[in-house]
Amino acid sequence: MSLAVKIIDLTRAHTGWTALALGVLSALGFAPLSLWPLAMLAMGAFVALVVTSGSTRDAVRIGWIFGLGHFMVGSGWIAGAFRYQDTMPVWLGWAALPFIGAYLAIYPAITAGLARRLGNPERLWRFALIFSGCWIVAEWVRSWLFTGYAWNPFGAVLLGPFDRPGLAAALPWLGTYAFSGAAVFISGALIILVMQRRYIPLGISALLLAGGMYFPVGAGEQGTVQFTLVQPDVRQQDLNNPATFETQFRNITTLSLPLDPAQERLVFWPESSLPDYLREGYPQIYYDRTTAGGDPKFARQRIARAIGPRSTVLAGVVDLEIVDGQAAGARNAVTAVNGQGEIVAGYSKEHLVPFGEYLALRWLLEPLGASRLVAGTIDFWPGTGRQTLDLGSLGRVGPQICYEIVFSGQVVDQNNRPDFIYNPSNDGWFGSFGPPQHLAQARMRAIEEGLPVLRSTTTGISGVIDARGVVRDHIGAHKADRIDGLIPPPRAPTLFGRLGNYLPLGLAFFVILIAAVAPRRRHG
């Protein structure tokens, strides 16, 4: 008996602890660690553990325990966000993490249970196909149920380093969720080859995987629209401090000065980049709380003076919804201001973060002392949906604010396709693990939609991502800097861009159907 088979036999005797350990190891494939071989072996071992489970009920239990480890590690950065608010104890973030993991673990549990019910454990290849199809559907459901949590699709472990897309180059023909299913199937296939002692195909497969992950793709095409992307490095503890507002404004405008005043360009500022209200029509009391002398026109004009007459800035701001003379709600918004101080376009965030930008179940949780993480007493209201802002000679931009970029198939107005996606964000909440994972998911949107993504963040990681998912330039964490260049050009609409999530769902059901009705063979 080979060592690999002995190890598999040993794991069967300790399935609970084994499943938990495999869940933890599988999450180490996400950025910034990016230990993708370890993540795939762990996922494949998880599939093998489900195959050897005694019943559907056992498979569900194994799947839930695996998911608990996977999501607690993969989403551990959430706990750190509680350091930057003063209405709830910091320890509550760590206390909440197991509950978050326990909920998200339901999706691998359902995947494992369905695969065990639909598949035949004696036919390993067929079982692996069914498992991967179920994973696709479960990951898609996770992206929208209860407002959705699409963070860290498993396929993200196969995203290459900054200068190449890795195996994620297949995203235009699969979409994120089918690509995750493919990653799960490949992981399972590697372990099946181990179980069947087929070491030559195993070695060839490993070499092909490594080659695909690091295959170079070249410099890429150049665009025509000049831009300046700014990262002001405003730390989270200072962001909402009125004593630092004026300093923040001076810093971001200094970084935005034109290199050539005669050059037409776009300037990108991050989410939460301005403490001033730029729109008119609010009661004066709200303007008096800002740094612009209580005058929104003055606030816009001093922005225009800083960026120059030939520039237009896209800035992350807060807009208010006034009801009966009082602010009843807020909008997390992007406002475009030109070099004459005029508002030329705007967008309000559609996909808000529960417990971050609004308190879900406020009637129940507020009396218990719960609060949202973003400062303020009124909830943010969602916008009307995806938009493309036409900025004339500067191009057509599709804004996606912060968390919105992680939702595959929900970032582009398919009836009015933009030239590029602008993703302003405030990643200062999320420690050292959250920002690189956020950037990775922005790269996946660029690849599957065939559109460049420009990310401007308060503290990093900001970057310019071309339509292949290659990071052309970036600014690391906790550094105040700017990037100047030409916006990379878009590609033609991809298959996923045309079909959206109908594509991965269709592939999932096709794979499950084929695996279920395929002619029976001895080894499946």
Side-chain angles (χ1 to χ4, degrees):
M1 181 180 293
S2 70
L3 176 62
V5 174
K6 288 180 180 179
I7 293 172
I8 291 170
D9 288 340
L10 181 62
T11 61
R12 293 171 183 170
H14 304 280
T15 55
W17 289 109
T18 301
L20 184 64
L22 293 176
V24 170
L25 293 175
S26 68
L28 301 184
F30 298 124
L33 299 179
S34 301
L35 302 176
W36 63 269
L38 181 60
M40 295 191 71
L41 290 174
M43 177 61 76
F46 168 51
V47 175
L49 209 59
V50 175
V51 167
T52 58
S53 62
S55 65
T56 300
R57 182 175 180 178
D58 285 344
V60 169
R61 179 181 66 87
I62 290 169
W64 186 85
I65 296 172
F66 171 90
L68 184 66
H70 181 81
F71 287 109
M72 283 186 62
V73 172
S75 299
W77 50 267
I78 292 176
F82 283 72
R83 292 176 295 172
Y84 301 109
Q85 50 79 46
D86 55 10
T87 58
M88 294 178 288
V90 174
W91 59 261
L92 187 60
W94 294 106
L97 193 58
F99 293 96
I100 295 171
Y103 160 65
L104 295 172
I106 292 172
Y107 297 101
I110 293 173
T111 298
L114 281 175
R116 186 64 175 77
R117 175 60 63 89
L118 297 174
N120 184 342
E122 296 181 359
R123 305 182 184 278
L124 297 178
W125 292 101
R126 189 182 304 183
F127 187 94
L129 280 172
I130 291 175
F131 191 100
S132 65
C134 292
W135 186 279
I136 294 170
V137 176
E139 201 166 84
W140 170 73
V141 172
R142 174 163 69 89
S143 76
W144 57 263
L145 189 62
F146 304 127
T147 78
Y149 182 77
W151 195 270
N152 279 348
F154 184 70
V157 305
L158 294 182
L159 183 64
F162 278 11
D163 61 343
R164 59 203 71 190
L167 294 178
L171 281 167
W173 298 277
L174 296 175
T176 289
Y177 306 127
F179 183 64
S180 289
V184 169
F185 175 76
I186 295 170
S187 301
L190 294 175
I191 298 301
I192 290 173
L193 291 173
V194 171
M195 296 171 69
Q196 295 179 344
R197 306 183 191 183
R198 300 169 65 183
Y199 299 120
I200 293 178
L202 177 65
I204 294 173
S205 299
L207 289 174
L208 290 174
L209 280 173
M213 285 295 291
Y214 300 106
F215 188 79
V217 294
E221 300 178 26
Q222 287 295 327
T224 58
V225 176
Q226 188 74 33
F227 76 90
T228 298
L229 186 149
V230 177
Q231 179 175 295
D233 191 27
V234 181
R235 305 300 172 94
Q236 192 62 35
Q237 60 268 27
D238 298 326
L239 190 65
N240 297 304
N241 180 2
T244 68
F245 282 170
E246 194 60 30
T247 301
Q248 292 177 31
F249 180 80
R250 286 199 303 269
N251 290 343
I252 198 170
T253 51
T254 299
L255 286 168
S256 306
L257 296 174
L259 300 178
D260 178 3
Q263 175 70 57
E264 188 178 30
R265 63 166 184 159
L266 269 177
V267 181
F268 297 101
W269 286 355
E271 180 187 24
S272 308
S273 55
L274 284 174
D276 298 324
Y277 297 121
L278 301 184
R279 297 187 180 274
E280 301 182 41
Y282 304 157
Q284 187 61 36
I285 186 174
Y286 295 105
Y287 298 118
D288 291 340
R289 298 170 182 171
T290 68
T291 63
D295 183 355
K297 183 177 180 180
F298 173 75
R300 299 194 302 270
Q301 288 176 339
R302 69 175 186 161
I303 292 171
R305 286 194 297 270
I307 63 174
R310 297 277 289 162
S311 298
T312 295
V313 65
L314 288 161
V317 300
V318 173
D319 292 338
L320 297 178
E321 291 291 336
I322 304 298
V323 177
D324 296 330
Q326 293 186 334
R331 306 273 188 185
N332 190 347
V334 164
T335 296
V337 179
N338 67 15
Q340 288 70 49
E342 302 166 334
I343 294 177
V344 295
Y347 166 81
S348 295
K349 184 178 182 182
E350 175 191 15
H351 210 131
L352 301 176
V353 182
F355 305 104
E357 292 164 310
Y358 68 97
L359 182 60
L361 302 175
R362 179 177 288 275
W363 60 273
L364 173 64
L365 297 178
E366 191 170 45
L368 298 177
S371 178
R372 68 178 204 201
L373 293 175
V374 177
T377 57
I378 58 175
D379 282 337
F380 283 82
W381 291 3
T384 56
R386 288 159 273 174
Q387 295 179 24
T388 296
L389 308 182
D390 190 343
L391 301 179
S393 59
L394 292 172
R396 291 144 45 86
V397 54
Q400 287 289 290
I401 300 175
C402 193
Y403 180 63
E404 290 185 303
I405 199 70
V406 308
F407 292 92
S408 174
Q410 300 180 45
V411 300
V412 170
D413 181 355
Q414 293 181 336
N415 296 318
N416 190 13
R417 189 173 188 253
D419 299 318
F420 62 91
I421 297 170
Y422 160 52
N423 178 220
S425 187
N426 170 19
D427 287 0
W429 298 88
F430 303 130
S432 59
F433 275 57
Q437 291 175 9
H438 206 174
L439 175 65
Q441 289 165 101
R443 293 178 65 195
M444 295 179 78
R445 297 296 84 73
I447 300 169
E448 68 183 2
E449 295 287 353
L451 292 171
V453 175
L454 289 94
R455 297 196 78 233
S456 175
T457 71
T458 51
T459 58
I461 305 168
S462 302
V464 180
I465 307 165
D466 70 19
R468 305 168 301 164
V470 172
V471 181
R472 296 274 184 97
D473 202 351
H474 74 283
I475 306 171
H478 304 305
K479 181 180 179 182
D481 205 349
R482 62 188 274 173
I483 299 172
D484 292 279
L486 299 172
I487 297 176
R491 288 185 161 185
T494 64
L495 181 64
F496 176 82
R498 293 192 294 268
L499 298 179
N501 281 319
Y502 291 114
L503 175 60
L505 288 175
L507 290 171
F509 289 115
F510 177 76
V511 164
I512 293 171
L513 180 63
I514 289 297
V517 303
R520 294 189 176 185
R521 298 176 60 187
R522 182 177 178 182
H523 295 295

